[in-house]
Amino acid sequence: MTDQQPIPFATAAAGRTAPEAERRPLELETHGIRRTDDYAWLRAPNWQEVFKDPRVLDPAIRSHLDAENAYQAAILEPLGSLREALIAEMRGRIKEDDSSVPASDGEWSYGVSYRQGAEYPRFVRYPRHGGEPTVMLDGEREAADVSYFSLGDVAHSPDHARIAWSRDDKGSEYYAISVRELETGEDAETRIEDTSGSVVWTARSDGFFYVRMDANHRPSRVFYHALGSDPAGDRLIYEETDSGFFMGVSETQPGEHAVIHVHDHQTSEAWLIPLANPAAEPRLLAPRETAVEYDVDEANGTLYILTNADGARDFKIATAPVNSSSRDEWADYVPHEDGRLILDHLALKSHLVWLERRDGLPRIVVKRFADGAEHAIAFAEEAYSLGLGGTYEFDTNTIRFTYSSPTTPTQTFDYDLESRERRLLKTQEVPSGHDPDAYVTRRILALAADGESVPVTLLYAKDTPLDGSAPLMLYGYGAYGITIPASFSTNVLSLVDRGFVYATAHIRGGKDKGFRWYEAGRREHKTNTFTDFIAAADHLVAEGFTRYDRIVAQGGSAGGMLMGAVANLAPEKFGAIVAAVPFVDVLNTMLDDTLPLTPPEWPEWGNPIASEEDFRRIAAYSPYDNVEAKRYPAMLVLAGLTDPRVTYWEPAKWVAKLRERKTDGNVILFRTNMDAGHAGASGRFNRLEEIALIHAFSLHAMGKA
């Protein structure tokens, strides 16, 4: 910040003392390297129990979190009217009685709808050829008695007689599965606890496969549940003994096989079980091989395998016989092309469909099995997002996809794979009104220090002055190969309409420019993620979009690590920082192999337990370990008490250390949602309160409130 910029929140903070966490030094030694962690005590030793029952949290820890919440609430109290106005206008952009376009399956069509004012959806079905809807599950009713509610899966059985559905009422992502008879609307008495939430029905609709979480919140075992039986006796189908691998279960498009997926961030394998014979032993498609990934679908007795095997860095699609159990039987069908990243694929009776990205933009490609003819579905905007929605059915020539851009509300299309006709089914309604022509979407390129070009997507109102005076929110993520789409967001408009430029930096660590973009932002190359984000800020200032002290940086989860890293590297280049559920205690977390995500994350960051080189590299950028005695911008930090992905104590420790060491008068505000986890508040309107909190903080920090 410049000396002329007023200190945000100075008036509200006057006379108030920020909470100070007690220092309880814990001496640690790894690879002969000694260090001290003053705030390790904030990690609850019974964290597994807290995930399931937050009431068992250590009173000393709860007292500290409560004090932080009270301080944050007091500082932001003068912005109460602004937050209420923001909530009202964001809610005004949501169609309250919205509904999806139903998707057909056999004699029925399935969809979701909302009642006016409802936080949670109803899952409904209609007779395919017309008739009144039947409510299968009312989320609002199911959530009535809990402070947090998240639906996992709602899966109808192939005979359409039942649904299996799952719920999490703590935010800890332990889902309980129930089975409901659709004729009566009643659930069976038994529930299956501690699952990942997803189910795959058998072909005869007499049972389903599911994944159970272990005590350390890891998906480690696949079970089969026969309807009417006691879940305690469910048959174990597969157990993963390597704690470094995630696991899930799905089904192929024709419903012939259940697929058990086993993977970390660079290696995968799949096991197939015929859904007509759930008693069959799982069959391994190809043994896991480090750095080889694959995913499988099938059609007409052939497997279609999306893979990076044989050096296909940006992935290819291979075929194999349906009974294949070796990579030796794989043959290229859609060959690898460098710079053409294949993201997903879908096999139908007569066509193969895949989603790919070229030059940072997505498109859908269709290939006819009969003659190999290909064509692509693409759009002309400078930046946009596509989603391949697929279909319940296999023998169909129709797929569904969605399109949006920062200025264009989401559109849902049905697409005929033979006639190539796009049929617009729905355009997202913005009840309070939206004029796309009042805004500008741009894609620009920022030059990184090593010569790479970093894409940056911009959204701003046409009348926003581009003379350096505009405030700018710069969002980034940059991890796990996740690409941040250039999609439409009604909530962002509350900033843009108040003069903000909204920028998304597509930094290394994602796959925005192919798989190499991901490789160049992980492990030994991780710092590219941070310097790319800083390069984006530099470019936006150089091009006159804003000034350094007018930039609010925002990121969450691994993007919260990004916020912590850039705060340490270049605090003078940001006027404020918003870090949501930030992964900032990287070194300690990667050294704790009891935590849910630590072993599976080692391929992403490195294993500091086994490798001194990895230890030193992570220690050099881990935000918590690199807090220094210097000026930091104003910050808003958000956490969830039952978050199993980024545990609450990471941001709690980070904030405590920042307060201890920083040399400026800028506020650091820390809010822990005591009733939620990684995703924050549940419900489509409740979550607006957290977004309004971020917006109000950002507007005030930039002198706009």
Side-chain angles (χ1 to χ4, degrees):
M1 293 186 133
T2 64
D3 292 338
Q4 290 74 35
Q5 181 75 13
I7 297 176
F9 309 100
T11 301
R16 299 184 189 276
T17 302
E20 292 185 12
E22 181 184 350
R23 295 175 63 186
R24 302 181 191 176
L26 176 66
E27 299 300 323
L28 303 165
E29 183 172 340
T30 311
H31 302 297
I33 303 167
R34 303 192 68 180
R35 56 200 176 91
T36 303
D37 189 346
D38 289 328
Y39 303 106
W41 67 272
L42 288 168
R43 175 193 185 279
N46 64 335
W47 57 266
Q48 295 100 327
E49 298 173 55
V50 173
F51 282 174
K52 294 186 176 183
D53 185 359
R55 294 172 298 178
V56 302
L57 181 67
D58 183 323
I61 298 173
R62 181 177 294 277
S63 176
H64 176 70
L65 298 180
D66 286 343
E68 287 282 10
N69 283 346
Y71 177 72
Q72 168 270 140
I75 299 299
L76 294 182
E77 192 276 332
L79 301 180
S81 296
L82 173 61
R83 288 162 62 182
E84 290 177 6
L86 287 165
I87 291 170
E89 68 184 48
M90 288 189 289
R91 184 164 180 160
R93 300 190 190 104
I94 297 173
K95 180 174 170 56
E96 296 212 6
D97 57 350
D98 203 5
S99 61
S100 69
V101 179
S104 295
D105 185 15
E107 294 301 312
W108 298 94
S109 295
Y110 293 84
V112 299
S113 68
Y114 287 89
R115 291 195 305 270
Q116 191 84 13
E119 292 279 359
Y120 304 98
R122 298 179 299 179
F123 288 78
V124 299
R125 71 176 182 180
Y126 307 76
R128 181 168 188 154
H129 301 293
E132 292 300 310
T134 300
V135 177
M136 302 183 298
L137 179 75
D138 186 339
E140 195 77 357
R141 187 181 72 177
E142 303 296 339
D145 298 326
V146 294
S147 57
Y148 179 92
F149 181 76
S150 173
L151 280 166
D153 206 355
V154 179
H156 63 269
S157 58
D159 64 3
H160 305 280
R162 304 169 186 86
I163 57 171
W165 67 282
S166 58
R167 59 179 284 166
D168 165 24
D169 58 13
K170 298 290 189 302
S172 57
E173 300 179 41
Y174 281 109
Y175 287 89
I177 297 173
S178 299
V179 176
R180 177 164 298 182
E181 297 286 340
L182 293 180
E183 184 175 344
T184 65
E186 298 296 323
D187 287 342
E189 290 186 9
T190 56
R191 292 203 312 182
I192 306 174
E193 304 286 346
D194 299 342
T195 82
S196 66
S198 296
V199 305
V200 172
W201 284 95
T202 62
R204 292 190 297 271
S205 302
D206 54 358
F208 53 81
F209 298 96
Y210 66 94
V211 177
R212 188 169 285 166
M213 314 292 281
D214 66 17
N216 283 6
H217 204 281
R218 292 179 184 137
S220 59
R221 292 174 294 168
V222 175
F223 286 88
Y224 173 70
H225 176 72
L227 293 185
S229 66
D230 183 348
D234 285 353
R235 179 164 52 91
L236 177 64
I237 302 299
Y238 177 88
E239 182 169 10
E240 177 54 50
T241 58
D242 188 334
S243 61
F245 281 77
F246 301 98
M247 189 165 56
V249 62
S250 65
E251 65 181 301
T252 59
Q253 182 64 28
E256 297 288 338
H257 287 90
V259 183
I260 299 172
H261 306 270
V262 185
H263 64 95
D264 62 14
H265 290 294
Q266 64 175 356
T267 302
S268 63
E269 70 179 17
W271 299 73
L272 303 181
I273 305 172
L275 287 170
N277 181 18
E281 289 296 315
R283 175 171 54 85
L284 178 61
L285 178 55
R288 68 189 71 170
E289 182 179 328
T290 300
V292 174
E293 299 179 66
Y294 67 89
D295 192 16
V296 61
D297 205 346
E298 66 177 311
N300 312 315
T302 298
L303 300 178
Y304 292 87
I305 304 158
L306 176 62
T307 181
N308 66 347
D310 308 313
R313 182 170 64 172
D314 284 326
F315 288 76
K316 63 182 180 178
I317 299 176
T319 59
V322 74
N323 60 354
S324 172
S325 58
S326 169
R327 271 182 55 195
D328 294 339
E329 299 177 273
W330 296 10
D332 288 1
Y333 185 69
V334 180
H336 174 253
E337 291 182 18
D338 195 42
R340 188 267 308 267
L341 178 63
I342 303 179
L343 301 164
D344 194 10
H345 72 312
L346 170 69
L348 299 173
K349 184 175 180 58
S350 302
H351 302 85
L352 183 68
V353 184
W354 67 88
L355 178 66
E356 67 180 36
R357 184 176 294 110
R358 293 175 183 262
D359 302 319
L361 290 176
R363 67 177 192 166
I364 296 170
V365 183
V366 179
K367 184 168 184 171
R368 187 191 293 127
F369 290 136
D371 57 8
E374 288 186 19
H375 69 274
I377 309 169
F379 291 80
E381 282 195 81
E382 195 169 329
Y384 62 85
S385 172
L386 277 180
L388 178 59
T391 171
Y392 283 123
E393 298 181 318
F394 173 66
D395 187 2
T396 180
N397 288 330
T398 302
I399 62 168
R400 183 162 294 173
F401 70 87
T402 58
Y403 170 84
S404 75
S405 78
T407 57
T408 306
T410 300
Q411 297 175 323
T412 302
F413 292 87
D414 268 357
Y415 182 79
D416 190 297
L417 302 175
E418 287 296 329
S419 71
R420 306 188 185 184
E421 177 189 0
R422 300 179 192 178
R423 186 160 64 94
L424 179 61
L425 303 176
K426 179 182 178 181
T427 298
Q428 177 184 355
E429 293 184 46
V430 183
S432 60
H434 174 68
D435 179 8
D437 293 333
Y439 302 93
V440 176
T441 293
R442 290 188 59 188
R443 174 68 65 90
I444 63 174
L445 297 173
L447 189 65
D450 61 358
E452 284 282 10
S453 296
V454 180
V456 182
T457 300
L458 301 177
L459 173 68
Y460 53 88
K462 277 188 175 177
D463 59 1
T464 299
L466 302 180
D467 57 4
S469 64
L472 181 145
M473 178 167 279
L474 180 59
Y475 177 84
Y477 188 76
Y480 308 119
I482 294 173
T483 298
I484 304 302
S487 54
F488 184 71
S489 168
T490 57
N491 296 330
V492 165
L493 297 177
S494 289
L495 292 178
V496 173
D497 288 347
R498 288 173 170 81
F500 266 72
V501 176
Y502 189 84
T504 300
H506 302 281
I507 51 185
R508 279 175 279 190
K511 292 179 183 172
D512 307 71
K513 295 176 70 174
F515 198 82
R516 73 172 187 88
W517 205 241
Y518 173 36
E519 291 179 312
R522 67 194 284 194
R523 292 184 67 96
E524 65 269 23
H525 307 298
K526 187 62 211 169
T527 55
N528 285 335
T529 301
F530 316 141
T531 54
D532 281 1
F533 191 82
I534 294 168
D538 290 339
H539 185 74
L540 290 163
V541 170
E543 292 297 307
F545 287 101
T546 192
R547 301 192 310 263
Y548 289 123
D549 62 358
R550 305 291 283 158
I551 298 177
V552 180
Q554 183 185 1
S557 195
M561 175 208 293
L562 169 67
M563 296 299 100
V566 301
N568 288 329
L569 290 170
E572 73 283 356
K573 294 187 177 181
F574 305 97
I577 290 177
V578 177
V581 290
F583 178 31
V584 284
D585 194 12
V586 185
L587 183 59
N588 283 317
T589 292
M590 288 296 102
L591 285 167
D592 187 349
D593 59 6
T594 69
L595 293 175
L597 297 185
T598 292
E601 299 276 280
W602 286 331
E604 182 78 12
W605 317 106
N607 182 347
I609 299 174
S611 166
E612 181 178 341
E613 180 183 358
D614 288 354
F615 178 96
R616 291 185 181 276
R617 183 175 63 247
I618 295 170
Y621 69 73
S622 175
Y624 177 65
D625 295 278
N626 288 279
V627 173
E628 297 177 321
K630 60 185 178 185
R631 294 178 60 86
Y632 285 89
M635 296 188 192
L636 174 63
V637 182
L638 305 174
L641 180 61
T642 55
D643 186 349
R645 298 172 184 261
V646 178
T647 51
Y648 74 85
W649 60 81
E650 292 203 33
K653 290 169 60 179
W654 181 50
V655 167
K657 195 169 187 178
L658 282 165
R659 288 237 183 86
E660 172 201 337
R661 299 197 176 182
K662 71 190 190 75
T663 61
D664 56 83
N666 293 319
V667 298
I668 297 181
L669 304 178
F670 178 40
R671 180 180 186 270
T672 302
N673 190 325
M674 306 299 278
D675 297 311
H678 197 67
S682 62
R684 58 177 180 158
F685 302 131
N686 285 339
R687 64 171 48 100
L688 295 180
E689 296 180 8
E690 292 183 356
I691 297 169
L693 181 79
I694 292 170
H695 283 1
F697 170 86
S698 302
L699 287 162
H700 181 77
M702 295 295 103
K704 287 284 188 176

